[in-house]
Amino acid sequence: MHTPASMVMGIVFAPLGLVLLFTAAITPQWREGQTRLGMSGPVSLLRSGVKGQGMGVRSGSVEALLLVRSDGLWESCLQVEHSELKQCWPVAGPYQRDPRVRLTQGLVLTSLFLCGTGIVLACIGFRCWTDIPLRGVAATGGLLVVMGGLLSLTALGVYTHNLGRLGMEDPHQGISRLPHLNLRPAGSLYFGWLGSCLQVLGGSALLFSFKRPRCPTCPSYPELPVCPACSSCPEINKPDTDVYEISC
């Protein structure tokens, strides 16, 4: 099978990037922040749950609990560090209504759709069951993958640039009143960056499928280029059994 190395590289990197970006989109660790809370506020809601786990904490130790807040594109979570007490809910409030969050959601969904469509076209163009791949179809799929990767990079850039300001106009977020959090990028954001870069790399490799391979010429007719897969030159595609003409 005459499949170029660039097409093989693209058909490997593009799905890997799609999986990483999809993992980042559905996980709620795009940003996170930590704070120590006293007896009042959100910890009062969690106090009974902490005692219910048999931790046997005193009032003084409850004051030292570290509360971790994480936000994603479609889900937010609240967890007490060093415990199994965790609560998640769909994004709501100012964070959900923030136009930059909505823009990121739309760009990521569009990126996933374009990349998935491009991978399907690339697989059709790959044509493992034949000797000659459909280069035009594979390259078109690569173009869609590149476009999807660029859209996801744009979404990640917008979110990262405004990470500390998203949904901060109203002190009420999620289910309770939270103090100021020192927000920082979290693991899902890094997965998204890596997946987007792999999408661009894999799509760019597939774009090289537009370039036709250099085929050897027929020894008898060097001015006529032919492809080894064609039968226009018998000296290139000669049968396994040689036929000799014997004259008496």
Side-chain angles (χ1 to χ4, degrees):
M1 182 177 66
H2 305 283
T3 303
S6 60
M7 190 178 295
V8 177
M9 177 180 173
I11 208 67
V12 172
F13 283 171
L16 181 58
L18 178 64
V19 170
L20 290 174
L21 183 62
F22 179 76
T23 302
I26 63 176
T27 50
Q29 281 82 33
W30 281 58
R31 68 176 187 179
E32 66 180 12
Q34 298 178 346
T35 186
R36 295 186 181 275
L37 300 180
M39 294 295 294
S40 62
V43 170
S44 62
L45 301 176
L46 302 173
R47 183 182 177 186
S48 59
V50 173
K51 290 184 177 180
Q53 294 181 5
M55 295 178 63
V57 294
R58 303 187 310 272
S59 298
S61 62
V62 173
E63 295 177 359
L65 285 178
L66 188 62
L67 192 65
V68 180
R69 166 71 180 264
S70 60
D71 294 309
L73 293 183
W74 286 275
E75 190 178 36
S76 297
C77 293
L78 199 64
Q79 181 179 11
V80 176
E81 195 175 49
H82 306 306
S83 74
E84 297 180 358
L85 185 60
K86 183 177 181 180
Q87 184 174 5
C88 297
W89 62 92
V91 293
Y95 180 78
Q96 181 191 25
R97 295 189 298 268
D98 195 300
R100 293 161 294 191
V101 175
R102 292 183 175 273
L103 175 63
T104 303
Q105 292 174 340
L107 290 177
V108 169
L109 290 178
T110 306
S111 173
L112 291 173
F113 174 76
L114 289 177
C115 187
T117 305
I119 291 174
V120 172
L121 291 178
C123 292
I124 295 175
F126 193 76
R127 292 187 64 178
C128 300
W129 60 91
T130 60
D131 290 335
I132 304 176
L134 299 176
R135 295 178 173 272
V137 176
T140 303
L143 180 61
L144 293 179
V145 173
V146 170
M147 292 174 58
L150 294 177
L151 287 179
S152 59
L153 286 175
T154 303
L156 291 164
V158 171
Y159 192 96
T160 304
H161 181 70
N162 302 282
L163 186 141
R165 301 187 296 270
L166 296 174
M168 291 299 179
E169 291 77 7
D170 190 337
H172 289 84
Q173 297 188 35
I175 60 174
S176 60
R177 179 182 294 271
L178 293 175
H180 176 70
L181 300 177
N182 294 321
L183 297 171
R184 63 178 183 273
S188 298
L189 201 59
Y190 298 118
F191 275 108
W193 281 109
L194 179 59
S196 300
C197 293
L198 288 177
Q199 285 182 5
V200 174
L201 182 61
S204 300
L206 288 171
L207 283 176
F208 283 102
S209 301
F210 274 125
K211 184 178 180 181
R212 295 287 180 178
R214 297 183 60 184
C215 299
T217 58
C218 180
S220 301
Y221 303 94
E223 69 280 1
L224 299 177
V226 297
C227 181
C230 303
S231 58
S232 56
C233 182
E235 297 190 22
I236 293 180
N237 294 312
K238 58 183 178 181
D240 296 334
T241 304
D242 294 331
V243 179
Y244 299 93
E245 181 180 356
I246 301 177
S247 59
C248 298

